[in-house]
């Protein structure tokens, strides 16, 4: 090619994303899937396009990808964003990533456990401290610690668009009274607005997972939708309320190892909230948990 610009465009077309290419790469490197790392690689270009679109990647964005695998989604991200930082735990994948991402000069691969990486420092180095967009086909065994770690540590993150187990996506966006409403729903909804983008069947992955998957986008709030005096106390109360699902809210709070309120303080707080003494935790909204926490913090 005569023009450098055309060369660059050609170089930036994803080559991965279908079963044949994935098998070819895996065979070339004699790659053995590690179950303990939750490895289910995406082999469907439509799903990949959908994730990139749903994530709303813009050309000036810096994206953090968790678990790039053989680099399939990384290629798509590298075409759409200014910079991609991909954190992969499995050392066996690093030579593969060097190969599949060789043509992309805007990608940095870090061989580490994402739970041990200082994401705030990464955002500082790579994006001048500005918020990153997180995009990932997450290893299902640590979905919750990864997402909650990003929220609770207050790292600069604008949005998180991730493939998770369908059941987990449903829990994240469930509201009061639904069977799957719980501590995860409240924690996610305190920090972000959840939106399920697509359901993805097992045949879009290699190997096929046993469960259905879904892509969920979480748009981080600049300010949480409710005000609470002691965030940590509210989350202790939430955990206690859902620990023993069949118990009443009062019993859940009384039996919690994490809380130290008397029976009377708890009963008074529930009455102040305007709820019946036998109310169950799963019927309370986020606003009510915040209010309950504020009332109890004054006990
Ligand atoms: N992004 C690839 C794709 O869509 O084809 C792979 C997704 S696969 C579901 C999850 C990836 O996360 C694997 O590559 C796995 O090795 C990696 N992984 C698992 N635990 C990790 C951790 N704690 N930190 C970083 N990467 C991890």
């Amino acid at each position: 090619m005569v023009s450098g610009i055309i060369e660059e465009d050609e170089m930036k077309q994803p080559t991965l994303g279908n079963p044949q290419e994935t098998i070819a790469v895996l065979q070339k490197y004699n790659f053995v899937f590690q179950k303990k790392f939750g490895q289910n690689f995406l082999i469907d270009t439509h799903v990949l396009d959908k994730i990139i679109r749903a994530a709303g990647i813009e050309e000036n964005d810096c994206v953090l990808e968790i678990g790039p695998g053989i680099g399939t989604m990384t290629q798509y991200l590298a075409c759409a964003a200014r910079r991609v930082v991909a954190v992969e735990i499995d050392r066996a994948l690093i030579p593969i990533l060097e190969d599949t991402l060789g043509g992309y000069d805007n990608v940095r691969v870090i061989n580490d456990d994402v739970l041990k990486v200082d994401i705030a420092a990464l955002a500082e180095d790579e994006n001048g401290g500005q918020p990153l967009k997180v995009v990932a086909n997450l290893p299902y065994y640590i979905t919750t610690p990864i997402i909650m770690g990003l929220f609770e540590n207050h790292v600069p993150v604008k949005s998180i668009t991730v493939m998770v187990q369908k059941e987990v996506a449903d829990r994240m966006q469930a509201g009061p009274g639904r069977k799957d409403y719980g501590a995860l729903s409240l924690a996610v909804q305190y920090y972000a607005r959840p939106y399920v983008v697509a359901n993805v069947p097992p045949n879009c992955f290699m190997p096929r997972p046993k469960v259905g998957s879904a892509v969920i986008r979480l748009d981080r709030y600049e300010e949480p939708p409710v005000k609470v005096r002691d965030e940590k106390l509210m989350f202790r109360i939430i955990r206690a309320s859902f620990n023993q699902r069949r118990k009443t809210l009062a019993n859940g709070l009384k039996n919690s190892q994490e809380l130290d309120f008397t029976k009377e303080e708890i009963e008074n707080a529930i009455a102040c909230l305007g709820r019946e003494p036998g109310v169950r935790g799963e019927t309370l909204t986020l606003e009510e948990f915040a209010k309950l926490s504020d009332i109890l913090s004054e006990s």
Side-chain angles (χ1 to χ4, degrees):
M1 287 292 156
V2 182
S3 156
I5 295 169
I6 295 172
E7 263 178 7
E8 194 173 311
D9 279 351
E10 283 203 334
M11 177 181 74
K12 285 197 161 188
Q13 287 304 313
T15 55
L16 295 169
N18 60 59
Q20 299 77 14
E21 276 302 321
T22 304
I23 290 168
V25 170
L26 298 176
Q27 283 180 345
K28 180 174 170 191
Y29 288 88
N30 286 323
F31 179 75
V32 179
F33 284 98
Q34 300 272 348
K35 221 173 169 186
K36 66 173 178 187
F37 290 144
Q39 293 174 338
N40 300 98
F41 298 163
L42 265 168
I43 50 164
D44 187 306
T45 52
H46 299 295
V47 174
L48 285 153
D49 283 332
K50 201 162 198 170
I51 296 174
I52 305 301
R53 266 202 315 277
I57 304 297
E58 290 166 9
E59 58 187 16
N60 207 27
D61 282 335
C62 180
V63 176
L64 167 66
E65 187 191 5
I66 298 163
I70 63 167
T72 306
M73 194 153 74
T74 328
Q75 290 188 343
Y76 285 71
L77 290 167
C79 294
R82 176 182 60 78
R83 183 85 171 136
V84 181
V85 182
V87 181
E88 173 55 59
I89 197 169
D90 187 352
R91 206 174 333 140
L93 287 166
I94 302 305
I96 301 183
L97 289 166
E98 278 165 11
D99 181 353
T100 59
L101 302 174
Y104 297 85
D105 58 6
N106 58 344
V107 178
R108 172 178 164 200
V109 175
I110 299 174
N111 180 205
D112 207 341
D113 177 347
V114 73
L115 296 176
K116 295 187 184 144
V117 173
D118 183 344
I119 313 277
L122 204 67
E124 196 58 55
D125 287 355
E126 298 284 351
N127 208 26
Q130 292 303 305
L132 307 169
K133 286 183 180 168
V134 176
V135 185
N137 170 15
L138 283 182
Y140 294 167
Y141 76 110
I142 46 165
T143 299
T144 304
I146 290 176
I147 292 179
M148 292 325 297
L150 291 169
F151 285 147
E152 284 168 2
N153 299 327
H154 294 278
V155 291
V157 162
K158 197 170 167 54
S159 62
I160 302 177
T161 306
V162 280
M163 179 85 72
V164 296
Q165 235 172 291
K166 179 169 178 343
E167 176 236 329
V168 175
D170 289 342
R171 274 200 275 146
M172 285 182 191
Q173 63 162 14
R178 261 184 49 178
K179 203 165 85 250
D180 44 9
Y181 180 59
L184 180 66
S185 328
L186 285 153
V188 163
Q189 291 166 31
Y190 177 71
Y191 292 108
R193 183 182 296 110
Y195 168 62
V196 173
V197 175
N199 291 326
V200 182
N203 63 1
C204 296
F205 302 87
M206 184 184 293
R208 293 180 183 197
K210 289 199 179 71
V211 291
S213 306
V215 179
I216 190 163
R217 173 168 162 168
L218 309 170
D219 283 325
R220 184 165 193 148
Y221 293 123
E222 279 181 23
E223 291 294 328
V226 299
K227 281 215 173 341
V228 62
R229 239 171 271 144
D230 183 345
E231 221 174 71
K232 289 207 166 82
L233 173 64
M234 179 178 75
F235 283 115
R236 287 207 299 276
I237 291 171
I238 289 174
R239 278 196 296 275
S241 310
F242 288 95
N243 252 350
Q244 299 162 298
R245 264 199 175 261
R246 275 183 222 113
K247 289 221 156 70
T248 61
L249 173 64
N251 279 337
L253 300 185
K254 261 180 268 170
N255 295 338
S256 166
Q257 308 282 332
E258 285 192 278
L259 298 171
D260 190 22
F261 297 111
T262 64
K263 186 170 179 272
E264 200 183 17
E265 285 167 341
I266 292 168
E267 285 170 0
N268 282 342
I270 293 174
C272 275
L273 204 61
R275 290 299 210 124
E276 295 297 313
V279 67
R280 290 181 192 282
E282 65 253 34
T283 65
L284 263 60
T285 61
L286 178 60
E287 291 74 14
E288 287 177 305
F289 275 111
K291 201 168 162 200
L292 183 65
S293 169
D294 283 353
I295 298 167
L296 282 168
S297 71
E298 282 173 1
S299 306

